[in-house]
Amino acid sequence: MEKGRIFLVGVMLLQCWIAMAEAEYLKYKDSKQPLNTRIKDLVDRMTLEEKIGQMVQIERSVASADVVNKYYIGSVLSGGGSVPKEEATANDWVDMVNGFQRGALSTRLGIPMIYGVDAVHGHNNVYNATIFPHNVGLGATRDPQLVKRIGDATALEARATGIPYVFAPCIAVCRDPRWGRCYESYSEDHKIVQAMTEIIPGLQGDLPPNSQKGVPYVAGNKKVAACAKHYVGDGGTTKGINENNTVTTRHELLSIHMPAYYNSIIKGVSTIMVSYSSWNGEKMHTNYDLITRFLKNTLRFRGFVISDWEGIDKITSPPHANYTYSIEAGVNAGIDMVMTSYNFTEFLDGLTLLVKNNFVPMSRIDDAVKRILRVKFVMGLFENPLADYSLADQLGSQEHRELAREAVRKSLVLLKNGENADKPLLPLPKKASKILVSGSHADNLGYQCGGWTMKWQGLSGNNITSGTTILSAIKNTIDRDTEIVYQENPSLDYVKSNNFSYAIVVVGETPYAETNGDSLNLTLSGNGGETINNVCGGVKCVVVLITGRPVVMLPYVDIIEGLVAAWLPGSEGYGVTDVLFGDYGFSGKLARTWFKSVDQLPMNVGDSHYDPLFPFGFGLTTQGLKNN
């Protein structure tokens, strides 16, 4: 009996010792261990299959808990408009993300996956989220602290839906407005773009003092990992053709397109996305010199490098023509995580074969995995892998909508105000007998928000999400005794015969994203020009432009009394009326040159042939009743 008891106690002690040894042995699960110790411990335990799984990011429509588990998937994303269901709530999103995460946590090593989304002007895929002005408008504010606050709000709204990673900010320096992504760029001037990298500590949190330069940082579960994009030179392509070739010297590349990356790395940006574009004919997705030698070795960037959507497919022309070559070229260039979107098994099989046949060295795989794990550890994903519902009230909160409204106010640029300073048209009187509101963009929330809103290419209409159209804002701002008439495209006779006190014309571009927005003529959409001529030919008018960039205005500028660049203001139309009617003053300054004719393009401040309609930095000011 006694011997049996001793034996049992011995077995129990042995089991305790084994359990303690195992707990001690799993250093990577111990948050008190140094970061590099945790990374090394985990990488040393991983099989090739587990490592390559970490390097892939797949679209949510082909993801499931089983898929994430079976293939050790490192990351899942929502493409533009890819949602759990129509009008999904914050809780719907959390449930979906956690479902994928449980698949990751039930793998042998329990490495959490990271969910990413394009939150490029607020959490723009999500119904009821606050939609902030696109970057082209934020550049006109010249207010980095405002942009930092927008980063903070966007992080909270993303985390409200369980998402810890956003593909923002775009720090392109758009040098040609014919580019369909120009509205994603803060300015043609790299100094403004550099200043606006302040959105990164807004998204990720302020770096702690004495933190190591280049090491990613995310301050807990109310912040998100950010992504500086698109590395590098995406805004400099010939004629602004998206994904095309940037022809420039190394000096120009480093002095115009690279500086904002220095600021982003210093601010601890977690990830950097590679550009579809080429530099002097070499695809950025294959550029070892700029990705590995310069970004990783010279600039000491310690986060991970991610491809763009099917970016390695596009290494060949036509895309996906030689996928094995594309995998080898992209991974060996230094891309750590590949956004394969749908076709992920072909990538996993292809890279496995390339490693086994020594075309991709194991050291390259280990570098990629260490970088991905570094970001996951820094974010606290191992300690808090699952999201909860506690931040649901942050999505589209009143506080965030007020911030967006402030951003709209500060982004508006007053380009013309009456024929001379003695007779300004703006601010408009709230009290008038009868006013006319016209234009395709006056009562269209989708047009007001632009591309990357609910869907990749944006939408038309007022039921796309929550927000206030400019027409609604006008109706709720003017004196209640003022009669308001809305006619989208009235005739000149109608305008002349109705005795209006003044008119507000809201016209612009219809939504687009990326290549669909490339334009060689940069004209107003639809009946925009006709509406301006008919309305402004019959009554004194202010034209509010809803565009992603400067457009051709020379033919109309003489007939217009007041001209306002409102860019793509987002969901809060009250920000426009706040300034039109004088509660706040105009303060925005052009962060882009406004050309006279597309024949002048490309034309940027400092160019020898500089002859703009409105120069870089231009913006008339007015006084507001309330302080800005």
Side-chain angles (χ1 to χ4, degrees):
M1 184 71 186
E2 193 61 35
K3 277 184 181 176
R5 189 176 292 148
I6 290 167
F7 177 73
L8 271 175
V9 169
V11 168
M12 287 166 70
L13 281 170
L14 183 65
Q15 284 175 333
C16 283
W17 182 81
I18 289 169
M20 283 167 64
E22 276 189 346
E24 177 65 27
Y25 192 47
L26 297 178
K27 286 182 183 173
Y28 75 91
K29 291 199 169 180
D30 180 1
S31 61
K32 296 183 181 66
Q33 288 285 347
L35 179 59
N36 287 337
T37 304
R38 297 180 79 185
I39 294 168
K40 184 179 186 312
D41 182 62
L42 181 49
V43 171
D44 286 349
R45 296 170 190 278
M46 293 171 76
T47 64
L48 178 62
E49 195 181 6
E50 286 165 332
K51 288 175 179 177
I52 288 175
Q54 284 300 303
M55 294 174 65
V56 73
Q57 183 179 62
I58 69 173
E59 217 285 325
R60 55 158 289 284
S61 57
V62 294
S64 66
D66 289 343
V67 163
V68 170
N69 179 279
K70 179 180 177 182
Y71 296 102
Y72 310 104
I73 299 296
S75 185
V76 182
L77 86 151
S78 278
S82 180
V83 298
K85 64 182 188 186
E86 288 301 308
E87 300 187 9
T89 64
N91 291 4
D92 293 330
W93 281 90
V94 168
D95 291 342
M96 177 192 70
V97 174
N98 281 349
F100 298 144
Q101 190 65 281
R102 287 189 180 98
L105 297 177
S106 59
T107 54
R108 181 177 76 92
L109 295 168
I111 303 170
M113 67 91 205
I114 182 172
Y115 198 99
V117 67
D118 283 281
V120 297
H121 62 141
H123 198 11
N124 50 258
N125 261 345
V126 177
Y127 190 74
N128 280 339
T130 310
I131 307 297
F132 292 93
H134 268 298
N135 289 355
V136 63
L138 298 181
T141 69
R142 300 292 205 281
D143 190 342
Q145 289 309 306
L146 171 72
V147 170
K148 183 179 183 182
R149 285 155 56 208
I150 289 170
D152 179 61
T154 302
L156 284 168
E157 297 207 11
R159 284 288 195 169
T161 57
I163 294 172
Y165 178 27
V166 300
F167 310 128
C170 176
I171 55 171
V173 183
C174 174
R175 303 291 286 174
D176 193 323
R178 292 174 290 188
W179 186 36
R181 302 195 84 148
C182 204
Y183 65 77
E184 297 184 55
S185 166
Y186 294 107
S187 179
E188 71 192 41
D189 178 9
H190 68 84
K191 293 190 193 72
I192 291 175
V193 180
Q194 286 179 271
M196 295 304 177
T197 59
E198 198 56 23
I199 194 171
I200 292 168
L203 292 164
Q204 297 193 155
D206 288 309
L207 281 177
N210 308 320
S211 56
Q212 195 182 342
K213 185 189 154 195
V215 175
Y217 177 73
V218 181
N221 57 9
K222 290 185 180 177
K223 294 294 183 182
V224 293
C227 178
K229 64 185 191 181
H230 308 87
Y231 184 84
V232 60
D234 50 343
T237 60
T238 304
K239 293 187 180 176
I241 298 168
N242 191 43
E243 304 184 10
N244 212 265
N245 191 21
T246 298
V247 180
T248 185
T249 63
R250 188 178 184 92
H251 172 75
E252 278 188 347
L253 187 81
L254 296 185
S255 59
I256 294 172
H257 299 282
M258 192 69 79
Y261 287 94
Y262 307 152
N263 299 75
S264 301
I265 292 164
I266 288 165
K267 290 173 183 179
V269 76
S270 294
T271 73
I272 289 175
M273 187 185 292
V274 184
S275 178
Y276 287 128
S277 59
S278 303
W279 175 47
N280 296 336
E282 183 180 353
K283 292 269 188 186
M284 276 306 309
H285 274 72
T286 67
N287 197 314
Y288 175 85
D289 179 53
L290 286 174
I291 297 172
T292 297
R293 280 205 190 105
F294 194 74
L295 180 61
K296 291 182 172 181
N297 298 347
T298 305
L299 299 185
R300 309 281 294 164
F301 172 62
R302 288 286 169 267
F304 68 79
V305 175
I306 187 168
S307 82
D308 207 332
W309 174 277
E310 296 179 355
I312 65 164
D313 302 52
K314 296 187 183 191
I315 286 170
T316 57
S317 183
H320 207 85
N322 184 345
Y323 198 56
T324 305
Y325 165 75
S326 294
I327 297 169
E328 181 190 349
V331 172
N332 278 338
I335 296 170
D336 303 310
M337 184 179 281
V338 174
M339 201 186 283
T340 60
S341 63
Y342 310 112
N343 200 13
F344 63 92
T345 53
E346 187 185 3
F347 173 81
L348 295 173
D349 294 345
L351 183 52
T352 303
L353 204 61
L354 286 164
V355 174
K356 286 184 172 169
N357 289 309
N358 298 319
F359 290 105
V360 175
M362 201 65 212
S363 58
R364 175 72 274 275
I365 301 298
D366 286 346
D367 172 57
V369 174
K370 283 173 184 171
R371 288 167 176 278
I372 292 161
L373 294 177
R374 182 175 292 123
V375 171
K376 291 182 177 185
F377 279 125
V378 159
M379 294 173 71
L381 263 186
F382 281 80
E383 287 68 50
N384 294 296
L386 295 170
D388 59 38
Y389 306 132
S390 62
L391 293 173
D393 62 343
Q394 295 292 329
L395 188 71
S397 72
Q398 192 55 38
E399 187 183 349
H400 295 165
R401 292 187 183 279
E402 290 296 333
L403 175 61
R405 182 173 176 172
E406 177 191 345
V408 175
R409 288 198 294 265
K410 291 179 173 178
S411 68
L412 301 182
V413 181
L414 181 56
L415 298 172
K416 188 176 179 184
N417 191 12
E419 287 308 310
N420 56 57
D422 299 333
K423 287 187 179 176
L425 178 64
L426 294 156
L428 298 168
K430 292 179 185 176
K431 200 171 177 67
S433 58
K434 184 163 69 165
I435 66 171
L436 173 66
V437 179
S438 295
S440 51
H441 289 56
D443 192 32
N444 194 313
L445 188 64
Y447 285 6
Q448 196 173 298
C449 291
W452 288 114
T453 309
M454 301 304 128
K455 300 284 186 191
W456 175 41
Q457 293 293 329
L459 291 166
S460 174
N462 291 339
N463 59 351
I464 63 161
T465 189
S466 303
T468 307
T469 68
I470 293 168
L471 178 64
S472 296
I474 293 168
K475 287 177 175 174
N476 291 320
T477 301
I478 56 167
D479 189 271
R480 64 181 181 185
D481 295 329
T482 299
E483 184 186 348
I484 180 166
V485 176
Y486 172 59
Q487 279 272 355
E488 187 175 315
N489 189 27
S491 68
L492 179 59
D493 288 345
Y494 175 86
V495 176
K496 281 183 168 173
S497 60
N498 264 281
N499 202 25
F500 293 110
S501 306
Y502 60 81
I504 300 169
V505 180
V506 191
V507 291
E509 296 184 296
T510 50
Y512 54 81
E514 299 190 41
T515 304
N516 287 14
D518 286 358
S519 169
L520 293 176
N521 57 26
L522 295 178
T523 50
L524 292 166
S525 296
N527 299 319
E530 181 190 339
T531 307
I532 291 172
N533 283 332
N534 288 352
V535 176
C536 300
V539 65
K540 63 182 177 183
C541 73
V542 57
V543 172
V544 179
L545 295 174
I546 305 295
T547 66
R549 53 200 163 186
V551 292
V552 174
M553 289 306 293
L554 192 60
Y556 317 108
V557 78
D558 287 342
I559 202 173
I560 295 168
E561 289 263 329
L563 181 60
V564 176
W567 315 109
L568 298 170
S571 58
E572 306 311 304
Y574 281 115
V576 175
T577 52
D578 279 345
V579 185
L580 283 185
F581 293 101
D583 288 333
Y584 293 84
F586 280 93
S587 59
K589 304 289 180 194
L590 286 180
R592 305 211 54 79
T593 295
W594 206 292
F595 58 86
K596 290 176 179 172
S597 152
V598 288
D599 298 336
Q600 297 172 296
L601 299 175
M603 178 177 69
N604 294 288
V605 64
D607 289 351
S608 56
H609 66 291
Y610 199 69
D611 180 28
L613 182 61
F614 302 106
F616 175 89
F618 181 77
L620 302 171
T621 54
T622 59
Q623 292 304 306
L625 298 172
K626 302 175 184 176
N627 290 328
N628 232 1

